[in-house]
Amino acid sequence: AQRVTQPEKLLSVFKGAPVELKCNYSYSGSPELFWYVQYSRQRLQLLLRHISRESIKGFTADLNKGETSFHLKKPFAQEEDSAMYYCALFNQAGTALIFGKGTTLSVSS
Amino acid sequence: GAGVSQSPSNKVTEKGKDVELRCDPISGHTALYWYRQRLGQGLEFLIYFQGNSAPDKSGLPSDRFSAERTGESVSTLTIQRTQQEDSAVYLCASSPRTAGRELFFGEGSRLTVL
């Protein structure tokens, strides 16, 4: 069965520090992976997807099939990065986007 | 140019009553998803609609839950004989039939069952 695990419920860092939000997955074959973000009082929205290999707001995520991981990284955290972050992947049928439980990132000055 | 719209935004009901939640997807989006988010939990997939294809209902937790969608328009999620454990935020999302399949979420309907 497909599964997404985000081991950290809360990650607190200081402004300017590096950030790594962990995501591990269980999937047979080539997964379609995403990071979604929810800022305070805003809707859940897409941050980035692995097929695009893009950097959004300074965040990157690399798919590591050997470790079945898709960790989200940013070299220098900003206070505006404080939000809830969800890792997600589509199920084998492509009908459901399966989410992890989310990690709250808190960046303080 | 509205995004996904959900109503009501808040609903308080008594145990045993039926509730109906509505979702208006973005125009032209063929796919529509319902999720449930209990307090402190992640998003739990409920149901998926894609155009006129048979929906994927595999996430519905019990036969008290049902959802309908006519074509590529509005969807309603119905919960019959509500229980306290049904209290949650119910999120709707839609997506276009394109590569990448970004989901666009509504603001959710917060259901409280007393």
Side-chain angles (χ1 to χ4, degrees):
Chain A
Q2 303 91 87
R3 190 168 59 248
V4 177
T5 303
Q6 293 181 252
E8 303 138 330
K9 206 164 184 176
L10 173 65
L11 186 63
S12 296
V13 301
F14 287 108
K15 178 181 169 182
V19 169
E20 181 178 72
L21 295 157
K22 290 184 167 42
C23 172
N24 288 90
Y25 65 89
S26 172
Y27 190 90
S28 178
S30 295
E32 197 174 347
L33 284 151
F34 304 81
W35 277 97
Y36 277 77
V37 60
Q38 188 165 27
Y39 301 102
S40 180
R41 298 192 197 87
Q42 292 188 28
R43 303 174 184 219
L44 189 60
Q45 59 187 280
L46 177 68
L47 180 62
L48 55 80
R49 66 197 99 186
H50 93 271
I51 59 170
S52 302
R53 302 185 64 80
E54 57 204 344
S55 173
I56 303 293
K57 299 185 179 182
F59 284 97
T60 58
D62 290 318
L63 175 60
N64 185 323
K65 288 190 176 181
E67 295 184 358
T68 59
S69 69
F70 188 56
H71 302 329
L72 183 68
K73 299 177 184 179
K74 184 169 182 176
F76 307 103
Q78 302 298 315
E79 289 181 76
E80 56 264 30
D81 296 328
S82 296
M84 175 73 93
Y85 291 80
Y86 294 94
C87 182
L89 87 168
F90 270 104
N91 64 356
Q92 304 275 178
T95 57
L97 189 61
I98 299 167
F99 286 82
K101 291 189 186 297
T103 298
T104 300
L105 174 64
S106 176
V107 182
S108 55
S109 56
Chain B
V4 176
S5 177
Q6 292 188 245
S7 61
S9 54
N10 271 292
K11 176 73 177 178
V12 180
T13 191
E14 293 179 346
K15 179 181 167 181
K17 302 272 191 192
D18 296 353
V19 296
E20 196 171 272
L21 307 176
R22 176 188 167 107
C23 174
D24 272 286
I26 293 172
S27 178
H29 282 193
T30 57
L32 187 146
Y33 309 74
W34 282 100
Y35 287 86
R36 177 171 72 178
Q37 186 171 32
R38 287 171 163 152
L39 191 63
Q41 302 293 314
L43 278 75
E44 179 186 357
F45 168 75
L46 297 177
I47 190 167
Y48 162 82
F49 295 94
Q50 173 62 272
N52 293 315
S53 302
D56 177 353
K57 303 180 182 180
S58 61
L60 293 177
S62 76
D63 58 8
R64 296 187 296 104
F65 288 73
S66 63
E68 290 185 354
R69 186 186 189 198
T70 306
E72 297 180 358
S73 62
V74 170
S75 175
T76 55
L77 176 68
T78 302
I79 309 172
Q80 295 178 308
R81 305 181 301 282
T82 52
Q83 304 294 313
Q84 287 184 331
E85 62 261 28
D86 298 334
S87 295
V89 176
Y90 289 83
L91 289 167
C92 176
S94 68
S95 73
R97 188 195 280 272
T98 57
R101 292 189 283 176
E102 175 179 354
L103 269 63
F104 294 82
F105 282 85
E107 293 184 320
S109 291
R110 181 177 298 277
L111 174 66
T112 303
V113 182
L114 302 177

